[in-house]
Amino acid sequence: MRKFIYGVFIFIFTFSASSVQSQDILRSKDVSGVKVETLSDAEIANIKSQLQANNLTIDQVEPMLKQRGMKDLEFSKLRERLAAAPAARTEAVKGTSETTRVQEPVENRKTKDSTDDKIFGSELFDNPDLNFEPNLKLATPVNYILGPGDELMMSLYGVQELNDVSTVSEEGKINVPHVGLIQVAGLTIEAATQKIRTATGRIYTSLRSGQSKLNVSLAKIRTIKVTIIGAKQPGNFSVSSLSTVFNALYLSGGPAKNGTYRNIELVRNNKLLTYVDIYKFMVNGDQSENIGLKDNDVIRIPVYKNRVSLEGEVKRPGIFELKPGETFTNLLEYASGFSDVAYTASVHIIQKTGKEYKVKDLVPAEFTSYNPQTGDAITVSKILNRFENRVQVQGAVFRPNAYSFYDGMRVKDLISRADGVLEDAYLKRAIITRTNADLTTEIVNVDLKKVMAGDAAANILLQKEDLVKVFSLNDFKEKYSVTVNGEIQNPGTYEYHKNLSLNDLLLQAGGLMSSASKNVEIARMLKAETINSNDSTKAQLFNIEIDVADNEQTKTFLLQPFDVINIRKLAVYEKPQMVTIRGAVPYAGRYVISGKNEKVFDMIKRAGGLTPEADEMGVKIKRPIQAAQIAALSEVNLNLDKNDSSAENKLTKKLKEDIKYAIIPIEWKSVTEDPENYSNITVEAGDEIEVADRNENVKVTGNVLLTSEIPFVKGKGLRYYVDAVGGTDSKAWMKKAYVIYPNGKAAVTNKFLFFKSYPKVTAGSQIVIPEKPEATKITTTEIASIASVLVGMAGVVIAIIRTAN
């Protein structure tokens, strides 16, 4: 029992010492022995909370800590750990009758609802980048009034020295070493400095003679308490004595849902000190009412009296609060005015009369006199998408566009504004698409040639919204092309131009390829007014010879529209093609196919034949499957059930992703005995000939108890090797067992009546036991359907029998 009590005592003592150490760093007179690396994360967080609660930063307390003995290295470590520590969260300290919230200037977690999004001014208290936090890095204001809780740092330097930090007591005094108590509460920092200098000079005589100097500054600013009523988070708040009304409002989340933004009350010593109108700051940036707070101030947010909504074409739509006497002009100022497309001739207002709704159309003359009432829903409409003085010109003019219309404007006037017609303009006719008063349209024809010649009768008067279309001669011309195919760098279709020669086209197409033949065929379309039934010719053919090295002679051959040019390929032009031989051959590697009908036997012979370690049953060819072959296979109709597309999709995916090669087994022993054997196939480009090494084992895989390799025993069958690996599992499908031989050939199990014939097993082969497919169980619904069908059939049979009798 004594050991237990002693252990508890040691634990409490250690915990208390650790806590005191973390707290004393900021308050202790001597911190020269502090080792930052020994502080826990909780202690660092505690220090960070103390700094935030007092609205201080680590840089601001640096002079104080170094004066108390902290080394530069330890201070740097402390700063790094504080920077890496997570932000201290807002804590609520509950007392007997109130809740005190510690200011959290680091992170804003406030959120707004949909109504807040629309209330003008609410964004002021939900913006994490705007919190009105006092700047504590500035020099202490000379008019700052000292009070209990402030800490003064005094530094006497010169002939005599004194460094001390004193806290203003509850009685408003500080205790200066060797000097005594000095009353400073209620004094400005400037007046307090003078009073301290006078009192200190009585003891430190060098101060009076000027041989020493005294500097007094604030080491810590006191915390005051303010009460906020009517906010989203009402309560008592601990804030810096430099805090203002806006800072406190931000901490409380701003006015509540029905709180006013225009008549916030600041109560001091139980008397109304002033009203705060947030709109002054929002609209004009005026902070004259953002006054400093004092201890025990009360900020009261009453409910609003008059709110209206303004939507539509204004620059800042939302819900606005108006004071008595404010007009629609003031409301428009808060909304930053009309948007660029606002319809300002009339503003739509829906009013509430207390009994029903009422509609009012507000004209510009009433903007300065109309006083919006609470609940008004004001909407500013958008201007119409139409023009009051527009005419347009399109087509073959230099500047097609829309132009302003005026009375008496004619076609030539509009053409002149467009800088005239283009050289390819069709002057015999232009058309005017005219919009009538009933919004129907009609076409008016214009003789543009007469108009440009000055014919007054042809120069038609225009109307608003007329659209003049000037045609181009090129609009009526068919676009011609020619086509070149074959052994050309860039085959395709090219635009036809007058006097286009064959040489011109070949140059446009990038020139001939090295495989191009000297023979060129040109097909030309036939044109005739009548059909000649005796002539079956569909195209006129031209066969010409060109010099591939110099085709300049083709410039004399002029092409016609829609000619098709075919550049033939040389009769013999084939790049060397390769096959790969690997495995048990003396000279493995890549070989060029020397003949069109070169066989696999010839290729292996060129590689030195088979080595003594080669397996004659292990020769095979891996032939790449071309993309066109996979596409053709995927398009084959598998005759699957219409509702079962998954199997077809899986097969297509397997063809595209998994199957890269086709395995062709080679019966090498038969090939060596008879080179004309069917197995001695012709090799193709990309083939990979593989010759396996002799393997004296048999591999057993699939649904067996143990996948393994068993030494080959001549004369033993498939069952022997399956039993050697422990037999099959419960899902094995023995009647579908198959053997894969070293050359890639496979043999399956055969069945005749009740007898099974397993495939022969050879050295190096692989036995595969597939998985038995799961049987589809019949459902209760299907059973009921079958039963009903049988009953129906039985009824039909009985009826037939009775009829026969």
Side-chain angles (χ1 to χ4, degrees), residues 48-56 102-103 105 223 238-240:
K48 190 163 189 174
S49 297
Q50 291 181 44
L51 290 173
Q52 292 181 4
N54 294 288
N55 294 317
L56 294 173
V102 179
Q103 181 180 355
T223 299
S238 293
V239 297
S240 164

Side-chain angles (χ1 to χ4, degrees), residues 38-313:
T38 62
L39 299 177
S40 65
D41 292 340
E43 290 170 339
I44 293 295
N46 188 18
I47 295 173
K48 190 163 189 174
S49 297
Q50 291 181 44
L51 290 173
Q52 292 181 4
N54 294 288
N55 294 317
L56 294 173
T57 65
I58 187 62
D59 293 328
Q60 290 172 322
V61 300
E62 179 181 2
M64 180 188 71
L65 292 176
K66 290 186 176 180
Q67 285 181 359
R68 296 178 183 179
M70 179 171 280
K71 299 177 182 179
D72 292 341
L73 180 60
E74 295 299 325
F75 181 79
S76 299
K77 293 179 181 179
L78 180 61
R79 176 189 288 159
E80 291 176 0
R81 291 199 62 183
L82 287 173
R89 299 183 63 86
T90 300
E91 297 179 356
V93 182
K94 296 186 178 180
T96 55
S97 60
E98 65 182 17
T99 300
T100 302
R101 289 178 175 85
V102 179
Q103 181 180 355
E104 182 187 7
V106 176
E107 183 178 358
N108 175 35
R109 298 185 183 88
K110 301 177 179 63
T111 57
K112 12 180 185 178
D113 54 29
S114 58
T115 304
D116 286 337
D117 286 336
K118 299 179 180 179
I119 297 176
F120 178 65
S122 63
E123 65 271 21
L124 197 65
F125 306 103
D126 296 275
N127 187 349
D129 298 323
L130 183 67
N131 59 12
F132 304 100
E133 181 183 1
N135 190 352
L136 303 179
K137 294 183 179 180
L138 297 177
T140 306
V142 293
N143 59 349
Y144 178 77
I145 306 298
L146 295 173
D150 285 334
E151 284 189 5
L152 293 179
M153 180 183 296
M154 293 171 290
S155 177
L156 179 67
Y157 54 93
V159 174
Q160 294 176 297
E161 292 186 356
L162 171 67
N163 291 306
D164 184 65
V165 177
S166 299
T167 302
V168 181
S169 66
E170 298 294 334
E171 292 78 18
K173 299 178 181 180
I174 61 172
N175 186 7
V176 181
H178 310 299
V179 177
L181 298 176
I182 303 175
Q183 182 74 31
V184 294
L187 300 178
T188 64
I189 188 67
E190 186 177 25
T193 301
Q194 185 59 41
K195 189 173 183 179
I196 294 171
R197 181 179 288 109
T198 301
T200 306
R202 299 191 189 104
I203 305 301
Y204 296 90
T205 56
S206 61
L207 182 60
R208 285 183 296 172
S209 63
Q211 294 177 303
S212 297
K213 301 293 182 181
L214 178 66
N215 180 53
V216 179
S217 61
L218 273 175
K220 173 187 172 184
I221 298 175
R222 70 182 182 276
T223 299
I224 62 175
K225 289 186 178 182
V226 296
T227 303
I228 304 179
I229 304 171
K232 291 180 181 176
Q233 301 174 16
N236 295 332
F237 292 81
S238 293
V239 297
S240 164
S241 56
L242 292 177
S243 297
T244 62
V245 174
F246 285 0
N247 182 219
L249 287 173
Y250 177 84
L251 293 175
S252 65
K257 182 177 181 181
N258 294 321
T260 178
Y261 286 76
R262 308 294 307 274
N263 295 294
I264 299 174
E265 301 173 357
L266 176 60
V267 180
R268 182 170 293 167
N269 297 326
N270 298 322
K271 294 181 181 179
L272 178 62
L273 180 65
T274 185
Y275 288 100
V276 178
D277 185 354
I278 295 176
Y279 278 26
K280 287 185 177 180
F281 174 74
M282 294 291 296
V283 178
N284 302 316
D286 183 0
Q287 293 198 63
S288 59
E289 296 177 354
N290 186 25
I291 62 177
L293 298 174
K294 291 189 176 181
D295 201 19
N296 295 320
D297 277 355
V298 176
I299 299 175
R300 178 178 175 270
I301 306 175
V303 297
Y304 71 87
K305 293 183 179 180
N306 184 8
R307 274 186 187 172
V308 299
S309 68
L310 179 59
E311 301 292 339
E313 296 303 322

Side-chain angles (χ1 to χ4, degrees), residues 626-637 655:
Q626 305 300 325
Q629 294 173 306
I630 296 177
L633 287 172
S634 61
E635 293 174 1
V636 174
N637 184 4
L655 287 170

Side-chain angles (χ1 to χ4, degrees), residues 241-519:
S241 56
L242 292 177
S243 297
T244 62
V245 174
F246 285 0
N247 182 219
L249 287 173
Y250 177 84
L251 293 175
S252 65
K257 182 177 181 181
N258 294 321
T260 178
Y261 286 76
R262 308 294 307 274
N263 295 294
I264 299 174
E265 301 173 357
L266 176 60
V267 180
R268 182 170 293 167
N269 297 326
N270 298 322
K271 294 181 181 179
L272 178 62
L273 180 65
T274 185
Y275 288 100
V276 178
D277 185 354
I278 295 176
Y279 278 26
K280 287 185 177 180
F281 174 74
M282 294 291 296
V283 178
N284 302 316
D286 183 0
Q287 293 198 63
S288 59
E289 296 177 354
N290 186 25
I291 62 177
L293 298 174
K294 291 189 176 181
D295 201 19
N296 295 320
D297 277 355
V298 176
I299 299 175
R300 178 178 175 270
I301 306 175
V303 297
Y304 71 87
K305 293 183 179 180
N306 184 8
R307 274 186 187 172
V308 299
S309 68
L310 179 59
E311 301 292 339
E313 296 303 322
V314 291
K315 294 177 180 176
R316 194 188 310 181
I319 299 173
F320 298 86
E321 183 179 347
L322 298 178
K323 285 185 175 181
E326 290 187 324
T327 64
F328 178 78
T329 301
N330 301 118
L331 175 61
L332 196 60
E333 180 184 0
Y334 300 148
S336 300
F338 292 114
S339 71
D340 298 335
V341 294
Y343 175 63
T344 60
S346 177
V347 176
H348 182 73
I349 303 176
I350 298 179
Q351 301 172 326
K352 298 181 178 68
T353 63
K355 180 179 179 181
E356 57 188 358
Y357 291 100
K358 179 181 178 181
V359 176
K360 177 177 178 60
D361 296 321
L362 190 69
V363 296
E366 300 175 298
F367 286 178
T368 57
S369 60
Y370 177 72
N371 301 110
Q373 303 300 312
T374 186
D376 279 2
I378 305 173
T379 304
V380 179
S381 302
K382 192 175 183 179
I383 60 175
L384 299 175
N385 186 20
R386 58 187 298 173
F387 296 83
E388 65 178 26
N389 65 336
R390 180 182 68 169
V391 289
Q392 300 178 76
V393 58
Q394 297 178 353
V397 294
F398 281 101
R399 299 186 182 276
N401 209 334
Y403 294 91
S404 60
F405 169 78
Y406 58 87
D407 291 337
M409 189 176 189
R410 295 180 179 271
V411 173
K412 190 173 182 180
D413 299 327
L414 179 59
I415 298 296
S416 299
R417 286 198 176 184
D419 286 346
V421 297
L422 295 173
E423 294 81 359
D424 62 339
Y426 180 69
L427 299 179
K428 292 184 179 180
R429 176 180 296 182
I431 62 172
I432 300 174
T433 303
R434 177 161 293 170
T435 303
N436 299 317
D438 59 356
L439 300 183
T440 59
T441 58
E442 64 174 324
I443 297 296
V444 178
N445 293 312
V446 179
D447 189 335
L448 201 57
K449 186 175 183 180
K450 291 183 178 181
V451 170
M452 303 307 293
D455 189 332
N459 194 14
I460 300 173
L461 277 171
L462 295 177
Q463 297 181 10
K464 182 181 71 172
E465 287 299 310
D466 276 357
L467 172 60
V468 179
K469 173 72 173 180
V470 179
F471 296 101
S472 169
L473 292 173
N474 293 323
D475 295 338
F476 311 122
K477 294 180 180 179
E478 183 181 3
K479 291 186 178 180
Y480 296 146
S481 63
V482 291
T483 303
V484 58
N485 298 313
E487 302 305 299
I488 193 77
Q489 296 289 350
N490 300 302
T493 300
Y494 293 84
E495 186 178 357
Y496 172 80
H497 302 282
K498 188 177 181 180
N499 296 323
L500 178 69
S501 68
L502 177 58
N503 180 64
D504 299 329
L505 179 61
L506 295 180
L507 291 176
Q508 290 186 55
L512 299 173
M513 298 177 67
S514 60
S515 58
S517 169
K518 64 180 181 179
N519 296 315

Side-chain angles (χ1 to χ4, degrees), residues 637-649 651:
N637 184 4
L638 300 178
N639 294 321
L640 296 175
D641 182 53
K642 293 182 179 179
N643 298 324
D644 186 15
S645 60
S646 60
E648 189 165 358
N649 291 336
L651 178 59

